[in-house]
Amino acid sequence: MGALTHASLVEYLLEEAYEVAETIEEGHPDSELLGELGDVLLQVVLHARLAEERGAFTFDDVARGLGAKMVRRNPHVFRPDGTLQDSFPATIDQIVQKWDAVKRAEKPGRKNPFEGIPQALPALARAQKSLDRAARAGVAGPTAIEAGPFATEEELGNQLLAVVRSAHAGGFDAERALRGAVRQYQQQASRNPEGPYPAPS
């Protein structure tokens, strides 16, 4: 195995994060979740150690930065000194509004609501995140189109985006829903390789 680098560790960080998601979504015992979260934390430790070796930052810097960001971005929860507020907003909408206001103040030059959404997110998750950001910024979503058959990949992409928009409007997570449907299909196919397979319920 070659020398560890931030780039060489990316695949492991993503894999460990997906293992945490799978452990939660499949309802595994807390002991398994504990182990999977430890694996994610190990990736953070490794990246921080690599950064420390080149004099960039340490794990303690990461933890301090996270604490400061939590206090700064959650003034509805924390006072500037980090102590808890006496009262909290009554609704999720109020919390989201405060969070968005703080983020806008931190990055006043950011005009595009889609800035900061990772390009490497799986496509469905990226679509849903984009629609969420668009809605919060008052940007119109894509128009709905009628389902296939599809003549081009672009038509298929537009239909998938419309499905994600519909899922978002209904309060569903399209990426998680598709993972669940694929998992159910795999289980059915493993038990009955000849099929047919009913639509996941």
Side-chain angles (χ1 to χ4, degrees):
M1 183 174 178
L4 294 179
T5 66
H6 291 295
S8 72
L9 288 171
V10 166
E11 67 176 290
Y12 303 107
L13 176 60
L14 294 174
E15 181 181 335
E16 298 299 353
Y18 280 116
E19 287 182 8
V20 168
E22 185 175 295
T23 299
I24 292 168
E25 290 172 2
E26 292 185 357
H28 290 260
D30 286 342
S31 58
E32 287 188 38
L33 178 59
L34 172 67
E36 296 300 345
L37 289 172
D39 291 343
V40 171
L41 183 57
L42 173 61
Q43 295 303 310
V44 175
V45 169
L46 290 173
H47 281 281
R49 179 63 183 156
L50 289 174
E52 183 176 1
E53 287 175 0
R54 62 175 201 280
F57 58 83
T58 67
F59 181 82
D60 287 346
D61 295 329
V62 172
R64 275 193 296 274
L66 175 59
K69 180 190 277 188
M70 291 301 293
V71 169
R72 186 176 67 248
R73 289 198 176 170
N74 295 279
H76 53 286
V77 176
F78 301 104
R79 295 186 182 99
D81 66 359
T83 59
L84 290 176
Q85 295 282 7
D86 295 325
S87 61
F88 305 101
T91 68
I92 295 295
D93 283 343
Q94 290 173 321
I95 292 171
V96 169
Q97 287 170 3
K98 283 186 176 280
W99 175 273
D100 285 344
V102 170
K103 288 188 77 172
R104 280 194 304 273
E106 285 180 1
K107 300 181 180 180
R110 181 178 281 183
K111 303 298 182 199
N112 182 338
F114 307 117
E115 279 184 53
I117 298 176
Q119 298 291 316
L121 271 180
L124 285 175
R126 189 165 162 235
Q128 184 147 335
K129 188 75 170 175
S130 298
L131 292 169
D132 180 55
R133 290 274 189 91
R136 285 159 64 175
V139 176
T143 56
I145 60 174
E146 201 164 313
F150 307 108
T152 67
E153 196 167 89
E154 182 179 359
E155 286 181 7
L156 173 59
N158 288 334
Q159 181 63 43
L160 288 169
L161 184 57
V163 168
V164 172
R165 180 184 186 193
S166 177
H168 178 263
F172 297 109
D173 181 322
E175 189 76 27
R176 183 172 60 228
L178 183 56
R179 282 198 305 268
V182 170
R183 189 163 44 246
Q184 187 171 341
Y185 159 73
Q186 289 173 338
Q187 291 167 351
Q188 292 170 341
S190 295
R191 289 192 299 265
N192 179 20
E194 302 301 317
Y197 311 109
S201 55

